[in-house]
Amino acid sequence: MQLRELDEVHDELLQQGVAIHAVTAETGGSNAVKARLAERDSAVKYTVHSDPEFKLLLPRTDAAPGSDEAHSFFVKREIEASQYGGTYEDYVLVQPALVVVDKSGAIQQKWSWNSEPLVHVEPKEEMTFVGSMGGAVLVSIRPETADLGPSIREGRDVKLKGKGMLQIIAEMPKVKSPKEFWGTLVRATKSMVAFITA
């Protein structure tokens, strides 16, 4: 899972002057989100922001504030998370994305399902196969964690990687029931991550 990979490179990125901030639209507040991550063996050292109102999403400068187009860089969908029990609530999920900004707030690089090489992939659904990424399913295509530091240092876009369905299933935590399996699969797809260089 990308969150765990990011935690593994956290200290190395800090030495490079890069701070990681994970932003999720999941409700309940940052502490609740971090507690849920810890319950799923995904405790992280870096800051996690709960942002169900999308206040931290990078807006387009050519769109009216608050309009649907203002956040069209990001792919969103409603998720009925309450079906998983506990403290989960239904919310609008933001699919994985990456934004790198410098100390002044200037954007250094950005990536989402609505940017190259995925901009023309349709439908924008988790299990859509992406031929240009070796047939990986869309939900698995993420920035290559090991390339984050080098891409920031070199001023270029981060490399992407994707996984096939069998690899995704093999990497999932052990589950006890089909409902828990599907819940784990869906929850594993929901984080939007922003990197802020210091």
Side-chain angles (χ1 to χ4, degrees), residues 17-38:
V18 177
I20 301 172
H21 290 257
V23 182
T24 180
E26 189 175 325
T27 62
S30 298
N31 290 336
V33 171
K34 282 192 96 163
R36 287 184 205 125
L37 287 171

Side-chain angles (χ1 to χ4, degrees), residues 98-100 107-111 148 151-152 156-158:
L98 168 74
V99 179
V100 177
I107 298 167
Q108 303 301 303
Q109 63 173 298
K110 62 183 185 174
W111 169 84
L148 289 171
S151 73
I152 293 168
R156 61 171 172 80
D157 289 340
V158 67

Side-chain angles (χ1 to χ4, degrees), residues 103-118:
K103 290 179 188 179
S104 71
I107 298 167
Q108 303 301 303
Q109 63 173 298
K110 62 183 185 174
W111 169 84
S112 79
W113 288 7
N114 279 333
S115 65
E116 291 296 339
L118 305 175

